[in-house]
Amino acid sequence: MKKLTPIILLALYGVVPAQTRDSIQKLDEVILYGDRFLKPLSKTQTKKVLTDSVILRNASSLTGLLNFNSTIVFRENGLGMVSSPSFRGTTAQQTAVLWNGININSQTTGQTDFNTINARGFDVVVLRAGGGGVVDGTNAIGGSIYLENELVYNLGFNNDLFVRYGSFNTYDVNYKADYSNDKQSFSLIVSRNGSDNDYPYINTDRNNLNGQFNNTNISFSGGIRINSKNELNLYANVYDGKRNFSLPTPNALRTKYYDFNTRSMLEWKYNSNKFKHLTKFAVLTENYRFYPNIQNDFYTEGYVESLVVKYDINYQFNKDMLLTSGFNYLRNDGKGTDIEEEVRHLSSLVLGMRHQVSEKVFYEIGLRQELNKDYESPFLYSAGVKLALSDFYSIKINTSKNFRIPTYNDLYWQGLGNRDLKPEISYQGELTQVLKLKRMSLSVTGYYNSVEDLLMWVPDAAGVWRPENTDNVEIYGAEALLSAEKEIGDHQFNLSATYAYTVSKNRDTGKQLIYVPYHKFTASLGYSFKKLSAYYQYLNNGEAFTTSDNAPEQILNNFMVANLGLEYNFRIHKNKLTLGIQALNLWDEEYESVLNRPMPGRNYNAYMNFNF
Amino acid sequence: MKKLINCLLLVFPVLLLHNCTSDDREIITETPEGDYANGMFVLNEGGFTNSNASLSFVDPSGEVYNQVFFGVNGFGLGDVAQSMAFYDDTAFIIMNNSNTIEVVNRYTLEHITTISDQILNPRYMVFYNGYGFVTNWGDPVNTTDDYVAVVNLQDFTVTQTIVVAEGPERLLEANGSLYVAHKGGWGYGNSVSVINANTFQLSTTINVADVPDGIVISDNDLYVLCSGKADWTGDETLAEFFKISLQNNEVIESFQFTSGVHPSFLEVTNNELFYVLSGDVFKVSTGNFISPTGPLFSTQSQSVEVVYGFRVYNDNIYIADAKDYASNGEVFVYDLQGNFQTDYRVQLIPNSFYFNN
């Protein structure tokens, strides 16, 4: 089994090269309690905030949500299967996913499988493009995704039930209950979804075989305001996912994959005059089990338990200047079928400063020193300037040095792991222009990113795969984010669009990285008239190479996918009820985001959202 | 402001465009004049789970035709092409991760049928007396279900299976016996099974060293090259070369390589044995195979990255370079003295050569 497991795992994750009601509608002012202190550090970068209704109108998986609402490109091994992101032309391990401020990328693979995150379990999903290593730590090279549970006060008791049912026996149920008074706030979200996922492959006589999945996600957040200075919060999240892996060919052996992840965190906020202290203790567990044959009980697995301690102190030097300092500690304890138990300790020190020099000029600086004995400890930095040249036009400049640490698989895989690996290092810079009018905002960013010592599994002369620091990658591109709205009488129109042009080249060969299209465009158009609303989502993913020599006969075709939804909103007493229907892949486009892994054609669903 | 919004409205029609995707990229395949006789097939296994295995054809003039199976049949071979075998006018293409055998006419490549029943992790195929014999690893997590499938060549059905030790890989037929090298599937093998091809019964087992990779027959002797277990297994063992009598299945002579050395492949022509070690090709004579010599030549001059396929045929040595396993591979041809002759650009992960004469 040993010989093939790494290849299979790599293949699953696509590394083997053999082997708010709406983004369309106006974004609510979002208060991010969890990381309120840290968020300002990225004031000179571009953020996109996705809240309730965008989350509800999209598929429950984080892949479904972000594919239609961001410049992130996904490689999905068929709907619901392993899904890897590429943010700004980077690798799957170079996007950080943070749960209430804690990095939850897998310690074994280094990446987050975006189909193992149920977006409905969170109140807000925030995307920040570009390097964020100083604040977010490892993986934040292409960008970061923040999954946030909000704690709100004085809103009483609320229930929210969402039920969706559609083609291929796909169901999606989400129940949220929250209660708050002026001292306490509690919120519980229970989500369950699943699908037979046996869609026909367009223009063939084949169906998606063995692709069924289901998962349950439970999110809890609770907060107590002890007094004016002290606040105690508790967050918890459990994800239990079971997937069969759809067959690449009809007679292939049937496999399945289980994920079981838990996250819990205690947070203490202490405010005294000019000082604010934030202390977090988190325990995370991640466990995967891969069954190479579903008819057999045998599985291979990986298990990592992590302890995270974060302490941040902010000092408001004066009205315009904030000084920050922080300490992070991470302890991983992991083992697996092919990994003997290993414990590693990582820590870091962070220093930062934000200064509003004048009404028009703002700058920020962040420094981070990694401290560990396992590999080189890089010194990271970020610096940014924001110039508000007029009340509707501003310029943001940001530069940073970021890193990505080797994974458990890279370091400790029995016989193959390499303990001499260095972290990947990224140097990047970007310039953003923001145009903000009353009913429209447009931001255009140009960036450059040089990634060195890419960690990859590469074959030696005997064909044995081992992890190494190999390639250097040069990435540059442009991104545009647009949102606009218009009212004509009772008719309301909203538009939200993203476009990315991405060049991501291997410095030695000059070839574009695999599965990084040069172009990606998304748009959401919303229309509402009194109680009726309609929305149209559009995605155009450019063609991408699937081989490192950019062979034309292995190009993944470009594709466009569009969804159409209709909603009727009404009130029963004080309760709000929404009924909706959707046609997904409206034009029945034949497409795939991974070579020879077809995605579904046109399919339908109906949903109901009841707020009481 | 109003102008801006009007400009924005201009982009709305873009949202309604739905035919702006490119047409499916046609794989344009030029087929050679006449048929596929008198040339060489190169099997490209393709990426694991990517279902992009393909067949290349090199005609006698050296012209390369890629994706020829797709060109003739309009569909791909499937997932991970392992090997190919000829019988009369028929060619069998063994698809490892598809668990199928694609049966085609060897001269036209027209698809005849697909064998999928009782085929699980198939590897190699030989023929005897109207039957085909296919080694199968079976269920990856079960070390006791490995077998040789017996295929009736009249109707292309599997008539029975012969249970063997784990990891049956390459096999040969001689004098009505099958010699099956147990290289090891998900574990490591160290034996050669001898099967009576008339009765389909296991007749004996010959113990060799770990990981018997190459087997050839010359002058009524069986030569088995065992690679030994590599260092990364945590249990490194020595490579060993065996000469076994086909008369009594006894080891006549054997030779142990020094530690840390793991040769692979084995070919024979005119009483000379060829194998590969770290990208170098070695040649020893069958009469004196236990005396090691220096390499015949190194493939490094041609910058070969991974020797993934190796064949000696007529007066040439053929080497398949899988490169980084993520880009199109290349075939390098040398003469028997190791002089580089020519190279051919083929497809993803080429692993073997078949001469259609």
Side-chain angles (χ1 to χ4, degrees), chain B residues 20-240:
Chain B
C20 56
T21 60
S22 66
D23 289 330
D24 281 354
R25 194 173 313 278
E26 291 292 331
I27 298 173
I28 297 159
T29 311
E30 286 178 60
T31 44
E33 302 259 332
D35 59 23
Y36 293 90
N38 300 315
M40 172 179 77
F41 288 115
V42 182
L43 196 58
N44 306 287
E45 72 179 41
F48 183 74
T49 73
N50 293 347
S51 307
N52 56 357
S54 69
L55 190 61
S56 297
F57 180 72
V58 184
D59 77 8
S61 73
E63 189 80 25
V64 182
Y65 301 89
N66 284 319
Q67 311 259 2
V68 289
F69 178 90
F70 182 92
V72 170
N73 298 298
F75 57 90
L77 278 171
D79 200 12
V80 188
Q82 178 66 36
S83 65
M84 188 169 174
F86 297 133
Y87 177 78
D88 284 348
D89 288 349
T90 317
F92 296 78
I93 304 165
I94 317 294
M95 300 302 303
N96 176 252
N97 206 39
S98 286
N99 298 320
T100 53
I101 299 172
E102 300 298 342
V103 187
V104 297
N105 180 300
R106 71 187 274 189
Y107 300 114
T108 66
L109 290 185
E110 278 163 13
H111 189 248
I112 298 167
T113 190
T114 300
I115 307 172
S116 58
D117 184 43
Q118 299 183 78
I119 297 296
L120 194 54
N121 276 302
R123 307 295 296 174
Y124 293 88
M125 187 174 193
V126 296
F127 306 95
Y128 176 74
N129 198 24
Y131 290 98
F133 298 87
V134 184
T135 50
N136 286 263
W137 288 359
D139 178 352
V141 304
N142 187 338
T143 56
T144 60
D145 73 336
D146 301 36
Y147 60 96
V148 175
V150 181
V151 180
N152 180 325
L153 297 173
Q154 299 298 312
D155 58 8
F156 305 118
T157 57
V158 175
T159 58
Q160 71 177 97
T161 59
I162 306 163
V163 174
V164 293
E166 207 219 341
E169 188 78 350
R170 294 176 200 269
L171 75 173
L172 297 170
E173 183 279 323
N175 313 320
S177 287
L178 303 176
Y179 294 85
V180 182
H182 294 275
K183 183 180 176 182
W186 279 266
Y188 306 95
N190 55 13
S191 64
V192 175
S193 291
V194 185
I195 295 168
N196 183 321
N198 290 296
T199 63
F200 308 148
Q201 299 293 315
L202 183 69
S203 46
T204 188
T205 298
I206 306 165
N207 291 316
V208 290
D210 287 327
V211 196
D213 184 48
I215 52 170
V216 295
I217 291 171
S218 177
D219 283 344
N220 241 6
D221 290 322
L222 178 71
Y223 295 85
V224 181
L225 180 61
C226 300
S227 305
K229 291 196 214 171
D231 60 346
W232 61 267
T233 63
D235 180 24
E236 188 169 9
T237 54
L238 295 181
E240 197 165 355

